[in-house]
């Protein structure tokens, strides 16, 4: 259904007046209004109020794994809300969808992760992991273990703790009062982690957290053996190892969880996004059987941490149905196969275009670096990826630019339902969009001469 020009204009004005957008330029919104007002979605496509259809090359926020327009997920939500829309999980109250989802997660998670604390999303999951890690050490009689180490170029969310852990400096600069006891090691160096732990004192470190693939930081895939070395370092110093699978979980990288690629099991794991494919707000933290047992043995009072919507019955029911879809339709295997198709397409663009440098990715997470000089890897004075993303949107493809920490990267993460023809269309639009930007740059160079 499309809207009339008057109704669209009304929505644009109401948006500017009343809606503060997350992670968006405030002035741009006020001057130009919303870039899109989406009204429908089907498969890998989104349609806006004008009737324009675009490929959702980012799964919106890395999360619509099962694709748009899944009627069965809406039906599941309606059926659960009709029976039990909400009930609290405080004071040991429970509900069947939360119980069954926790049991399902224990079946599919890496290692011996066996128990789940539910949240409403990724930032809450990360903050919960930090608090649980610190609480664990308090119970173990080591309250001085409170420092959390993460990595440069990491992204862990925007609540105060999650912001403090995030390795992208601009997010930390947004506020003038960060949470204490957060440190950052080099994102590709296990030796950097070892040296930081030694410098701070192992007896002060509660946990180390890392994304299997850094997504919002620019699609950084860890070097071979990095996570095995990290696991060994954490074991050596008695540091808890937390993985942030908020983006990489539930098939995104071509395995159920990103850490499955590395043969390493964490002590704790944060998740969100793909667990419901974005159809309901849900996240959580999983802990190992060992930690769960120790918490049980050492706890003497109430676990004083919880969110109103922890274990929300409707969200958990949707998650269970979503995981059923992912498994029955073999979307994890498809993500692996189509991820290779996407990388192959990006490599072809790399051969044709003069400003495309490194191509990188894992599963259906991929990115291309934009450079001024292919030989020296010199970057443009002003990043070009935002212009490419803008042009691609005009031509019918949504993707994303990463320019923080002196980067210039275009990134992609389409729904796991994507097929070869749709990958081909994505690549065609991207190639055309880059060619437009290259032509503009050539014109500017001629004019400057």
């Amino acid at each position: 259904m499309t809207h009339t020009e008057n109704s669209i204009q009304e929505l644009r004005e109401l948006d500017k007046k009343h809606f503060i957008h997350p992670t968006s330029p405030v002035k741009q919104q006020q001057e130009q209004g919303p870039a899109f007002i989406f009204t429908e979605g089907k498969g890998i496509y989104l349609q806006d109020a004008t009737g324009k259809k675009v490929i959702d090359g980012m799964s919106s926020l890395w999360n619509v794994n099962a694709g748009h327009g899944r009627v069965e997920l809406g039906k599941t939500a309606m059926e659960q809300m009709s029976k039990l829309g909400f009930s609290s999980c405080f004071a040991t109250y429970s509900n069947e969808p939360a119980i069954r989802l926790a049991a399902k997660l224990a079946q599919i998670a890496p290692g011996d992760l066996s128990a789940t604390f539910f949240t409403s999303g990724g930032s809450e999951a990360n903050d919960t992991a930090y608090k649980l890690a610190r609480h664990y050490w308090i119970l173990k009689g080591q309250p001085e273990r409170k420092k959390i180490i993460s990595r440069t170029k990491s992204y862990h969310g925007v609540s105060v703790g999650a912001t403090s852990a995030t390795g992208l400096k601009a997010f930390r600069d947004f506020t003038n009062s960060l949470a204490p006891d957060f440190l950052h090691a080099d994102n590709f160096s296990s030796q950097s982690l070892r040296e930081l732990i030694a410098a701070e004192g192992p007896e002060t470190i509660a946990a180390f957290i890392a994304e299997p693939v850094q997504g919002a930081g620019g699609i950084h895939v860890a070097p071979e053996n990095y996570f095995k070395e990290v696991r060994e370092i954490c074991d050596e110093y008695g540091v808890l190892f937390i993985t942030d699978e908020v983006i990489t979980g539930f098939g995104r990288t071509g395995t159920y969880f990103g850490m499955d690629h590395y043969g390493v099991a964490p002590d704790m794991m944060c998740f969100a996004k793909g667990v419901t494919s974005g159809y309901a707000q849900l996240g959580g933290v999983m802990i190992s059987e060992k930690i769960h047992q120790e918490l049980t043995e050492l706890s003497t009072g109430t676990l004083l941490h919880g969110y109103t919507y922890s274990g929300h019955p409707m969200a958990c029911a949707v998650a269970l149905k979503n995981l059923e879809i992912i498994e029955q339709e073999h979307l994890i295997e498809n993500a692996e196969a189509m991820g290779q198709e996407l990388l192959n397409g990006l490599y072809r663009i790399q051969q044709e275009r003069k400003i495309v440098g490194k191509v990188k990715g894992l599963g259906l997470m991929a990115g291309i670096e934009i450079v001024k000089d292919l030989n020296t890897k010199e970057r443009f004075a002003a990043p070009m990826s935002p212009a490419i993303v803008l042009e691609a949107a005009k031509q019918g493809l949504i993707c994303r630019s990463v320019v923080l920490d002196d980067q210039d990267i275009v990134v992609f993460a389409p729904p796991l339902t994507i097929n070869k023809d749709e990958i081909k269309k994505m690549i065609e639009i991207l190639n055309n969009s880059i060619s437009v930007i290259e032509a503009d740059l050539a014109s500017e160079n001629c004019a400057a001469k």
Side-chain angles (χ1 to χ4, degrees):
M1 176 184 177
T2 56
H3 291 62
T4 66
E5 187 173 333
N6 286 341
S7 67
I8 293 172
Q9 186 57 35
E10 178 192 16
L11 289 172
R12 291 173 63 84
E13 293 304 317
L14 289 172
D15 184 287
K16 290 193 288 184
K17 186 175 182 179
H18 300 294
F19 187 4
I20 301 175
H21 286 247
T23 315
S24 301
V26 177
K27 286 187 178 181
Q28 177 181 316
Q29 180 215 6
Q30 290 304 306
E31 292 171 359
Q32 303 175 22
F36 289 96
I37 301 175
F38 290 118
T39 57
E40 296 179 39
K42 186 69 176 177
I44 69 163
Y45 291 95
L46 287 168
Q47 182 172 304
D48 76 356
T50 70
K52 180 177 181 177
K53 191 164 74 168
V54 296
I55 296 173
D56 184 2
M58 282 305 302
S59 298
S60 289
L61 271 178
W62 319 85
N63 62 338
V64 188
N65 289 13
H68 296 281
R70 286 286 186 171
V71 175
E72 56 267 61
L73 294 181
K75 182 179 179 182
T76 296
M78 180 189 71
E79 290 175 350
Q80 181 58 48
M81 292 174 74
S82 298
K83 293 191 297 183
L84 179 67
F86 175 75
S87 64
S88 170
C89 290
F90 284 31
T92 76
Y93 296 168
S94 199
N95 64 77
E96 184 174 354
I99 294 169
R100 295 203 178 278
L101 178 59
K104 174 64 177 178
L105 291 170
Q107 292 175 4
I108 62 177
D112 67 341
L113 296 172
S114 63
T116 299
F117 184 103
F118 288 113
T119 69
S120 300
S123 292
E124 285 184 1
N126 274 271
D127 270 16
T128 296
Y130 313 144
K131 289 180 72 175
L132 288 178
R134 287 165 170 165
H135 180 65
Y136 170 80
W137 288 117
I138 290 171
L139 292 179
K140 294 277 284 184
Q142 301 181 55
E144 68 279 3
R145 279 191 180 265
K146 56 185 178 179
K147 296 175 184 176
I148 307 293
I149 300 177
S150 63
R151 301 192 290 164
T152 57
K153 292 185 171 62
S154 63
Y155 178 80
H156 298 293
V158 293
S159 52
V160 173
T163 295
S164 303
T166 290
L168 297 165
K169 187 173 180 294
F171 282 93
R172 303 198 305 274
D173 291 345
F174 176 79
T175 179
N176 63 357
S177 184
L178 294 168
D181 299 316
F182 284 88
L183 309 166
H184 302 88
D186 182 87
N187 68 322
F188 278 172
S189 170
S190 60
Q191 183 61 26
S192 172
L193 173 62
R194 178 182 291 279
E195 291 172 357
L196 185 54
I197 292 173
E200 294 291 326
E203 71 281 358
T204 71
I205 310 299
F208 170 67
I209 185 168
E211 303 154 277
V213 178
Q214 292 181 318
I219 312 295
H220 300 295
V221 182
E224 188 177 0
N225 293 325
Y226 171 81
F227 282 111
K228 287 185 178 179
E229 293 165 3
V230 161
R231 178 73 267 184
E232 291 171 0
I233 291 169
C234 288
D235 289 342
E236 179 181 343
Y237 291 111
V239 173
L240 297 179
F241 178 29
I242 307 169
T243 53
D244 180 343
E245 296 261 12
V246 170
I247 288 176
T248 54
F250 307 102
R252 173 57 57 190
T253 66
T255 53
Y256 229 129
F257 296 94
M259 288 308 295
D260 292 336
H261 289 281
Y262 308 110
V264 172
D267 301 301
M268 304 172 70
M269 181 180 78
C270 303
F271 67 87
K273 293 188 183 294
V275 69
T276 65
S277 288
Y279 283 74
Q281 302 94 322
L282 185 66
V285 180
M286 295 194 71
I287 63 175
S288 69
E289 187 173 353
K290 175 180 177 292
I291 293 176
H292 189 210
Q293 184 176 346
E294 289 183 287
L295 288 177
T296 301
E297 293 171 353
L298 297 172
S299 295
T300 57
T302 299
L303 183 70
L304 292 173
H305 181 71
Y307 302 102
T308 298
Y309 298 118
S310 291
H312 192 287
M314 180 276 289
C316 291
V318 170
L320 283 165
K321 188 64 177 179
N322 177 63
L323 298 182
E324 179 184 307
I325 290 170
I326 287 173
E327 292 179 354
Q328 288 185 348
E329 298 186 7
H330 307 289
L331 297 186
I332 298 172
E333 294 85 348
N334 192 63
E336 180 183 20
M338 292 304 102
Q340 190 57 56
E341 288 288 327
L342 178 57
L343 280 178
N344 291 342
L346 295 177
Y347 283 126
R348 290 195 294 273
I349 291 176
Q350 183 187 46
Q351 297 301 313
E352 293 183 34
R353 306 266 66 94
K354 297 178 180 179
I355 64 173
V356 175
K358 185 177 181 181
V359 172
K360 49 191 177 175
L362 186 64
L364 283 173
M365 293 179 71
I368 54 172
E369 294 185 352
I370 307 302
V371 295
K372 183 177 181 180
D373 189 303
L374 290 174
N375 294 318
T376 66
K377 310 304 180 187
E378 176 191 358
R379 302 195 188 284
F380 289 93
M384 288 291 106
S385 56
I388 294 171
V389 169
L390 183 61
E391 179 61 32
K394 292 177 182 177
Q395 295 195 29
L397 169 65
I398 292 176
C399 44
R400 180 170 172 174
S401 64
V402 175
V403 299
L404 299 178
D405 282 16
D406 193 32
Q407 300 183 97
D408 198 1
I409 303 171
V410 183
V411 302
F412 314 89
L416 310 190
T417 56
I418 198 166
N419 60 39
K420 284 187 179 181
D421 289 340
E422 292 166 339
I423 292 281
K424 183 178 179 180
K425 183 63 176 177
M426 275 185 65
I427 294 299
E428 179 184 343
I429 294 174
L430 177 64
N431 197 21
N432 291 340
S433 300
I434 296 174
S435 70
V436 169
I437 301 305
E438 286 185 338
D440 290 344
L441 288 169
S443 297
E444 290 174 6
N445 289 336
C446 289
K449 294 177 181 178

